[in-house]
Amino acid sequence: MKVNFFKAFDYFIFFSVLILVTTGIFFIYSSGINSEGLNVSNEFIKQIIWACIGIVLMIFMTFVDYRRLNRFAPFLYLFLVLILIYTKIFGKYVNGARSWLGFGGFGIQPSEFCKIIYIMFLAWYFERTSNEKEFKRFFISVLIFLVPLGLILLQPDLGTASVYIPIFLIMSFVAGVPLRYIFLVLLGGSFTILFAVLPIWQKEIAHASYFFINILLNPTFSLLLIITFGLICFVSILGYIFFPNKRYYYWIAYVSGIIAASLIFSKLCGMFLKDYQIKRLIVFIDPSSDPRGAGWNIIQSKIAIGSGSLFGQGFLEGTQSHYRFLPQQSTDFIFSILAEELGFLGGLFVYFLYFIILMRIINIIKNTSNTFGFYIASGILGMFFFHFIVNVGMVMGIMPITGIPLLFLSYGGSSLLTAMLCVGMLMSINSHKFEF
């Protein structure tokens, strides 16, 4: 079926994205201006090039029938695994993570592009297993989720890896995975992070000694704790098998299994993640605990946003960025520059554009009749929402610093092209919404 140009395009999404990308270029330019008013960076030129390529890819993807990609999803997922392994071995170190592939002066971050493939393959799997047993379906989907997550954590790139979590949770929910299984992942991940950060929190922020945290720090006691909860889980499973009417066996196994697994994974996090990466997760609680280290970013960002007031200091008039107080100001903290120079109203305008994009995605999800497209759009919704809420919360000091860019605004070709491809795929889904 030939797709009509005007029918395929979602002009609300298209122009919202175009405005955000254009705004991003202006403030990437602003981030390159120093205190003397001189431009010391060519990042805005690179971003213009990436934006032009992204627009072409977005339009191209709009007129590709996304359903044809269904058959290639397993092969693309295999490619995802291989490219992440290759990146771990041969990638370039950038900001403490081996997550980039460089070709001369050109570099890409494969884990960004892999988000699209991950969404497609998970959608492919959920579509084909709607009649499978619930636990089997959940278990395999978790394996699909853990493979790229683990490979990205090995780089180690905590920020990019974290984006895969909300994608999995939202796609699992819309795919009809029982909530008790979804909460298994959600609670397990939450306890893993908690057990991993508590020792750093005790040392760097609390400056006190707590009995339970000291147990976690002691290898012998923490091992005994893992074995204890593991045995409780095992015995409870046996109890549920032989006495299926006794539901409390199920819930004892559920809770003890989560705790045992979280303790194990927290140890693995401690092995692969650096102390400074873990510290970023908690320093937002008290940035003053390390004002010249991990807390510096949050403190300077809050100063920049606060100084913007209602109307801002004016374009190119920001002081925090031009005097280089803001770190990574063209990427992770681009919103801080925007809020400083355009004020509360400028930030509100960005919020409004994201609101339009997210609401249009929800509209596409509600109206599509194709299951594969339904799942893909849900995954993209989770990805866009997480990027927005975490980045904006991070620069305001109410969310942990994870190194997640603000899509469409932050400098970076890989994240921008990934987002533009996702928008093109959304419009392709929208244009075939009445086709199974």
Side-chain angles (χ1 to χ4, degrees):
M1 177 179 176
K2 188 176 180 180
V3 179
N4 183 277
F5 180 89
F6 297 102
K7 177 186 174 184
F9 245 72
D10 187 316
Y11 290 96
F12 286 100
I13 289 182
F14 178 74
F15 284 111
S16 296
V17 167
L18 205 61
I19 294 170
L20 282 172
V21 172
T22 304
T23 303
I25 291 170
F26 276 105
F27 283 97
I28 290 169
Y29 173 79
S30 178
S31 73
I33 302 297
N34 65 13
S35 58
E36 299 175 354
L38 300 175
N39 183 16
V40 294
S41 171
N42 65 348
E43 287 181 343
F44 77 99
I45 297 175
K46 294 180 181 178
Q47 192 74 354
I48 291 172
I49 296 171
W50 288 123
C52 293
I53 296 172
I55 291 171
V56 172
L57 289 176
M58 179 177 65
I59 295 173
F60 171 77
M61 183 60 71
T62 299
F63 297 105
V64 172
D65 189 343
Y66 73 95
R67 295 171 298 175
R68 295 181 181 178
L69 301 174
N70 194 312
R71 72 186 75 172
F72 301 111
F75 304 104
L76 290 171
Y77 183 77
L78 178 61
F79 173 75
L80 175 157
V81 174
L82 294 175
I83 196 68
L84 288 178
I85 293 173
Y86 180 86
T87 304
K88 170 58 184 171
I89 299 172
F90 301 106
K92 293 169 57 178
Y93 270 109
V94 177
N95 294 327
R98 193 189 291 274
S99 56
W100 290 79
L101 293 179
F103 308 95
F106 176 80
I108 62 170
Q109 190 175 2
S111 55
E112 287 288 342
F113 294 102
C114 286
K115 294 172 189 174
I116 306 176
I117 300 173
Y118 165 66
I119 290 171
M120 285 173 50
F121 184 64
L122 197 56
W124 175 89
Y125 175 75
F126 279 140
E127 183 188 33
R128 277 161 174 72
T129 58
S130 57
N131 297 320
E132 291 277 356
K133 292 182 178 179
E134 290 179 346
F135 183 77
K136 178 184 176 182
R137 191 175 187 229
F138 166 74
F139 181 75
I140 295 177
S141 67
V142 168
L143 293 180
I144 293 170
F145 156 67
L146 287 178
V147 171
L149 181 76
L151 289 172
I152 294 170
L153 284 175
L154 286 174
Q155 293 178 355
D157 186 350
L158 181 61
T160 304
S162 65
V163 181
Y164 285 70
I165 300 172
I167 293 173
F168 173 78
L169 294 174
I170 289 180
M171 291 183 70
S172 297
F173 177 75
V174 300
V177 174
L179 285 176
R180 65 183 182 276
Y181 295 148
I182 295 175
F183 274 100
L184 193 68
V185 175
L186 184 60
L187 292 174
S190 300
F191 278 116
T192 297
I193 295 171
L194 179 66
F195 293 148
V197 304
L198 277 178
I200 305 294
W201 172 81
Q202 175 178 266
K203 177 182 176 183
E204 303 290 345
I205 294 181
H207 301 293
S209 180
Y210 297 93
F211 176 73
F212 176 71
I213 299 177
N214 290 331
I215 290 177
L216 294 178
L217 289 170
N218 187 297
T220 303
F221 286 133
S222 61
L223 178 61
L224 287 173
L225 206 60
I226 292 170
I227 293 172
T228 300
F229 280 104
L231 286 174
I232 292 172
C233 179
F234 178 72
V235 172
S236 300
I237 290 173
L238 290 179
Y240 184 69
I241 291 172
F242 291 107
F243 305 100
N245 294 326
K246 307 291 186 180
R247 290 289 295 177
Y248 56 81
Y249 282 119
Y250 176 90
W251 292 111
I252 292 173
Y254 185 91
V255 174
S256 58
I258 288 175
I259 295 175
S262 299
L263 287 167
I264 294 171
F265 283 117
S266 68
K267 297 298 179 184
L268 294 175
C269 285
M271 291 171 58
F272 295 111
L273 296 177
K274 311 297 183 185
D275 281 351
Y276 77 88
Q277 289 177 311
I278 296 177
K279 193 173 181 179
R280 283 178 179 176
L281 294 174
I282 54 174
V283 76
F284 76 98
I285 298 172
D286 182 14
S288 62
S289 65
D290 189 13
R292 295 195 177 275
W296 174 266
N297 299 2
I298 296 177
I299 293 171
Q300 299 306 318
S301 177
K302 290 167 74 173
I303 292 172
I305 293 173
S307 66
S309 191
L310 183 62
F311 298 104
Q313 298 185 24
F315 183 60
L316 302 182
E317 298 298 327
T319 55
Q320 289 297 107
S321 60
H322 296 163
Y323 282 92
R324 293 296 184 267
F325 289 116
L326 277 172
Q328 299 176 332
Q329 51 193 28
S330 64
T331 53
D332 298 347
F333 290 87
I334 191 71
F335 187 81
S336 304
I337 301 177
L338 185 146
E340 182 182 29
E341 298 188 359
L342 296 187
F344 174 77
L345 294 180
L348 195 63
F349 180 64
V350 171
Y351 273 55
F352 177 69
L353 292 174
Y354 267 98
F355 177 76
I356 291 175
I357 293 171
L358 294 174
M359 290 307 297
R360 293 304 298 173
I361 298 174
I362 292 172
N363 185 66
I364 291 171
I365 293 171
K366 288 170 60 178
N367 291 327
T368 185
S369 55
N370 184 279
T371 308
F372 183 57
F374 174 77
Y375 292 148
I376 289 176
S378 301
I380 294 174
L381 175 67
M383 172 184 159
F384 281 13
F385 178 76
F386 187 76
H387 266 274
F388 173 71
I389 204 73
V390 170
N391 181 275
V392 173
M394 174 184 76
V395 301
M396 289 191 208
I398 58 175
M399 295 284 281
I401 296 178
T402 55
I404 294 178
L406 185 55
L407 294 180
F408 307 115
L409 281 169
S410 293
Y411 169 73
S414 298
S415 62
L416 180 61
L417 294 184
T418 300
M420 300 290 258
L421 283 169
C422 286
V423 171
M425 189 169 287
L426 285 168
M427 292 197 285
S428 176
I429 295 169
N430 188 51
S431 66
H432 298 92
K433 59 187 174 184
F434 299 120
E435 302 168 24
F436 290 93

